[in-house]
Amino acid sequence: MKLILLGAPGAGKGTVAKLLTALDGSVQISTGDILRGAVQAKTELGQEAEAFMKRGDLVPDSLIMGIMEKRLQESDCAKGFLLDGFPRTIPQAEELTQLLAKLNIKLDMAVDIDVPRDIILDRLCTRRTCENSACQAIYNVKSNPPKVEGICDKCGAKAVQREDETETAITHRLETYNEKTAPLIGFYREKGLLMSVPATSSDDVINAVKAKLNL
Ligand code: ADP
Ligand code: ZN
C-alpha cells in the first residue's frame, strides 16, 4: 500500500505505520526518525536540522524534499510505503505530487488520524523514546512502560523524554501543526484522496484501512 499518514503529533502515526507494515511488507518512512538519526550521527543534515527540531519548529522544506526524493527511490519502497510525518506543509505536499508523478508512483490515499486534543496532550507528556537511533522504540509511562524503568526492552539503550516533548515545545508543535499541517486535510480531500478516521486507538485506524483497501 502507498499511504500518507496525517494527524497531529501524538495521534499515533508511528504506531499505525508499524502495524501496517506487518500487513503487506510496505516500509515505514518517518522523516522525524530519519532526522533524529542524522542529528545523533552528527551528519551535515543533522547539524542543519538540530536547532529547528529542539524548538519544535519545522525543518526547512528544501532539506526534507532532498531526503524524500532519495528515500522514495530506494528499492524497498517498491512494495509500498507509509509516509509518517511527511508531507508537513502545503509546499511539501505540492512538491510530493510532482515527485510521485515523475517517479510514476500512484498513492492509494491520505489517512487523517483524528484524535481528541486531550488524549494527544496526555500521550505526548507521558511518551518515552529509545535514544538509540537505530531503534527509536516508543513507550508510555502510563499505558506501555518499559519492563525496567528508563531502559528500552528491545535494545537496552535509555528510553527518555524527547527534547521536544517538554510542555512548552509540545504546545508549540501543536500550534505549528494547526497552522502548517492541518491544511493538508483539505488539500487531499480536494484531490479525492482523503480518508478521515476518528480514532482513540491504533486498532480503529488499522481496521478502517483494511476495510478500505480490502485487506
Ligand atoms: P511528531 O511526533 O511531532 O509527529 P516527528 O518525529 O514526526 O514528530 O518530527 C519531529 C521533528 O522533526 C518535527 O518537530 C520537525 O522539527 C522535524 N520534522 C519531521 N518531519 C518533518 C517535515 N516533513 N517537515 C519539516 N520538519 C519535519
Ligand atoms: Zn531501543
Side-chain angles (χ1 to χ4, degrees):
M1 63 185 101
K2 299 188 173 77
L3 303 186
I4 295 173
L5 299 173
L6 296 174
K13 298 184 294 289
T15 308
V16 164
K18 288 194 176 73
L19 292 169
L20 290 175
T21 59
L23 291 181
D24 72 347
S26 301
V27 288
Q28 173 189 13
I29 304 180
S30 158
T31 43
D33 285 354
I34 294 172
L35 290 168
R36 278 187 293 278
V39 169
Q40 238 187 29
K42 297 194 172 9
T43 62
E44 200 176 317
L45 168 71
Q47 285 170 359
E48 283 185 73
E50 188 168 15
F52 295 99
M53 294 175 73
K54 269 195 189 160
R55 291 194 300 266
D57 280 332
L58 292 181
V59 169
D61 291 338
S62 56
L63 281 186
I64 298 288
M65 292 313 305
I67 297 175
M68 288 306 298
E69 177 152 14
K70 279 200 215 114
R71 185 66 188 88
L72 283 171
Q73 295 184 69
E74 284 170 31
S75 58
D76 61 347
C77 292
K79 272 198 185 170
F81 49 75
L82 305 148
L83 302 185
D84 160 14
F86 170 86
R88 264 304 218 285
T89 63
I90 292 281
Q92 287 181 19
E94 284 169 342
E95 287 195 49
L96 176 64
T97 304
Q98 287 173 11
L99 178 60
L100 292 175
K102 189 174 94 182
L103 301 176
N104 215 352
I105 296 173
K106 191 173 166 294
L107 277 181
D108 294 309
M109 58 185 170
V111 181
D112 176 39
I113 308 174
D114 188 7
V115 179
R117 191 184 161 93
D118 51 331
I119 297 187
I120 295 256
L121 281 173
D122 188 57
R123 271 189 200 163
L124 290 175
C125 296
T126 53
R127 180 150 88 175
R128 298 293 179 270
T129 307
C130 172
E131 68 177 10
N132 168 7
S133 61
C135 176
Q136 305 205 26
I138 292 173
Y139 300 92
N140 184 291
V141 290
K142 286 198 219 157
S143 62
N144 174 31
K147 293 198 185 79
V148 180
E149 197 189 318
I151 303 292
C152 176
D153 293 348
K154 293 195 183 128
C155 77
K158 281 192 208 143
V160 296
Q161 186 159 34
R162 266 166 48 181
E163 232 167 326
D164 62 354
E165 289 183 346
T166 61
E167 210 169 309
T168 338
I170 289 170
T171 311
H172 185 56
R173 274 162 65 206
L174 290 174
E175 280 166 7
T176 305
Y177 172 79
N178 287 332
E179 184 189 330
K180 305 247 171 75
T181 308
L184 297 184
I185 296 170
F187 179 92
Y188 286 108
R189 185 183 292 120
E190 276 173 28
K191 290 186 181 295
L193 285 173
L194 186 75
M195 177 170 85
S196 205
V197 188
T200 50
S201 79
S202 43
D203 282 348
D204 296 342
V205 187
I206 305 303
N207 291 332
V209 171
K210 275 183 164 173
K212 182 84 179 187
L213 299 179
N214 295 317
L215 289 169

